[in-house]
């Protein structure tokens, strides 16, 4: 039978472990990543004859290299290349939770969104049009309440369908980072593509973005991989200089602003409505 390798990603407290338990039941194994204290949880599930090999990624807010958890999460994605990622969101904080999901989409790996804690979102008077969000992003969006198991089986069934449809194909979400960054990003991406620089590991535009963000782990990998790194570092330094002189800010800050801008405009296109009624207290 077919086995789908699925990774669960999400912010701390989005309900990832609860979802992992609802999916895998007792069929799980907990260990550590070699040499570090970050927990590695893996498990199995089976739905309608489809087997799932599930990995619970460490909870993170981002995919930068600021914490061990973030480094582990992104390395699992690029090295183990799961067939599909289920991005578990706390739906009652959808805007903030989409920040990580967007970064995974920029990597290009197939993503399904699980709008978890829908009970909380409803209680807060939020209405989320998941069909609209699905249409705008071009991926399945499912509503779940991991604590009760609501929506979990449907999530798995749709995830299996989507994974088959995509057939392992990566397709990067492209966000504009504005006039100060887009030009350099395009040039750097073209250079990376022309040389196939680190192509077996990182998508070109994602790698360029990491140079602009000054991501130390990625830049170190780049230096070990070849001479193009020095040129990319110099280009990134020019952009950083320009941002400092003209805008008194850093590329990382601009990148974060544009990502949030992308999310805000996404939610405004008929995805999220908040009731102005008084909150129901139960
Ligand atoms: P993780 O940090 O992402 O692994 O989050 P956990 O699975 O540990 O969940 C954090 C808290 O949220 C726990 O108290 C869960 O019982 C609770 N929780 C998980 N899913 C849901 C849900 O869909 N609705 C509600 N109301 N609570 C949930
Ligand atoms: Mg957890």
């Amino acid at each position: 039978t077919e086995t789908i390798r699925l990774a669960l990603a999400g912010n701390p407290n989005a309900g990832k472990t609860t979802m992992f338990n609802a999916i895998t039941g007792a069929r799980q194994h907990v260990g550590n990543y070699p040499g570090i204290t970050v927990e590695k949880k893996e498990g199995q599930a089976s739905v309608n004859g489809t087997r799932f090999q599930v990995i619970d990624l460490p909870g993170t807010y981002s995919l930068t290299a600021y914490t061990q958890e973030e480094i582990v999460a992104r390395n699992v994605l690029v090295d183990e290349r799961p067939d599909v990622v289920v991005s578990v969101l706390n739906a009652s904080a959808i805007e903030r939770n989409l920040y990580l999901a967007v970064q995974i989409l920029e990597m290009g790996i197939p993503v399904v969104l699980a709008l978890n804690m829908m009970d909380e979102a409803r209680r807060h008077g939020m209405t989320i049009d998941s069909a609209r969000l699905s249409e705008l992003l071009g991926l399945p969006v499912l509503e779940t309440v991991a604590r009760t198991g609501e929506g979990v089986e449907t999530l798995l069934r749709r995830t299996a369908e989507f994974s088959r449809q995509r057939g392992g194909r990566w397709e990067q979400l492209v966000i504009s980072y504005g006039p100060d960054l887009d030009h350099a990003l395009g040039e750097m991406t073209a250079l990376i593509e022309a040389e196939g620089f680190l192509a077996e590991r990182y998508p070109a535009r994602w790698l360029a973005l990491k140079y602009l963000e000054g991501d130390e782990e990625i830049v170190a990998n780049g230096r070990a991989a070849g001479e193009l790194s020095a040129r990319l570092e110099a280009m990134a330094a020019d952009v950083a200089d320009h941002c400092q002189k003209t805008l008194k800010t850093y590329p990382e800050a601009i990148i974060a602003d544009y990502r949030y801008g992308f999310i805000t405009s996404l939610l405004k296109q008929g995805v999220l409505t908040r009731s102005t009624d008084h909150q129901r207290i139960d």
Side-chain angles (χ1 to χ4, degrees):
T1 54
E2 172 193 33
T3 300
I4 292 176
R5 289 159 53 248
L6 183 166
L8 293 174
N11 291 7
N13 290 317
K16 234 159 29 63
T17 298
T18 310
M19 179 75 80
F20 179 78
N21 292 338
I23 292 173
T24 63
R27 286 179 294 171
Q28 46 177 270
H29 172 81
V30 183
N32 270 36
Y33 286 94
I36 52 174
T37 56
V38 178
E39 201 177 73
K40 180 172 193 176
K41 294 180 81 173
E42 291 176 297
Q44 276 104 45
S46 187
V47 174
N48 285 358
T50 304
R51 283 170 40 86
F52 291 88
Q53 186 74 39
V54 189
I55 176 163
D56 187 18
L57 295 174
T60 64
Y61 296 101
S62 190
L63 287 181
T64 50
Y66 297 127
T67 67
Q68 233 173 21
E69 283 78 9
E70 292 175 344
I71 293 177
V72 167
R74 72 184 190 192
N75 283 346
V76 169
L77 297 180
V78 296
D79 294 332
E80 298 189 18
R81 301 179 81 92
D83 298 309
V84 61
V85 174
V86 170
S87 175
V88 180
L89 312 184
N90 173 354
S92 71
I94 187 170
E95 191 155 11
R96 186 158 42 83
N97 277 241
L98 275 171
Y99 191 73
L100 174 67
V102 159
Q103 290 179 71
I104 301 172
L105 287 169
E106 286 185 288
M107 205 175 235
I109 191 163
V111 173
V112 171
L113 296 186
L115 299 181
N116 192 44
M117 305 213 181
M118 276 308 295
D119 54 335
E120 285 291 312
R122 287 181 206 118
R123 214 167 55 79
H124 286 100
M126 296 164 68
T127 307
I128 301 172
D129 187 340
S130 49
R132 179 77 180 129
L133 184 58
S134 167
E135 175 189 304
L136 290 167
L137 287 174
L139 48 83
V141 179
L142 284 308
E143 301 182 6
T144 61
V145 180
R147 195 145 77 177
T148 63
E150 184 190 321
V152 174
E153 195 177 322
T154 309
L155 170 73
L156 287 179
R157 208 172 291 144
R158 292 285 292 114
T159 299
E161 279 168 26
F162 180 67
S163 171
R164 276 180 219 120
Q165 258 171 37
R166 283 284 290 264
R169 195 167 27 84
W170 286 33
E171 208 172 88
Q172 285 85 38
L173 169 70
V174 174
I175 295 177
S176 165
Y177 287 105
D180 296 291
L181 264 57
D182 274 351
H183 181 72
L185 195 52
E187 274 190 358
M188 292 164 78
T189 303
L191 280 173
I192 291 166
E193 275 172 349
E195 283 204 18
F197 190 62
L198 285 169
E200 71 291 344
R201 215 164 170 213
Y202 309 119
R205 187 179 159 92
W206 189 83
L207 183 56
L209 208 48
K210 291 291 147 193
Y211 269 90
L212 285 179
E213 286 176 335
D215 187 302
E216 286 175 18
E217 197 224 5
I218 300 285
V219 172
N221 292 347
R223 281 182 191 155
E227 283 177 10
L228 185 60
S229 186
R231 185 141 175 226
L232 296 170
E233 286 171 63
M235 290 167 90
D238 278 350
V239 173
D241 241 35
H242 172 80
C243 291
Q244 195 51 250
K245 283 197 187 106
T246 61
L247 306 160
K248 302 231 179 320
T249 186
Y250 301 94
E252 302 105 279
I254 297 177
I255 290 168
D257 280 354
Y258 272 87
R259 272 199 195 115
Y260 274 116
F262 174 83
I263 292 165
T264 305
S265 86
L266 195 65
L267 294 179
K268 273 186 189 153
Q269 294 173 63
V271 173
L272 175 64
T273 44
R274 289 175 199 274
S275 104
T276 50
D277 300 345
H278 288 292
Q279 204 175 303
R280 215 179 78 219
I281 312 285
D282 347 33

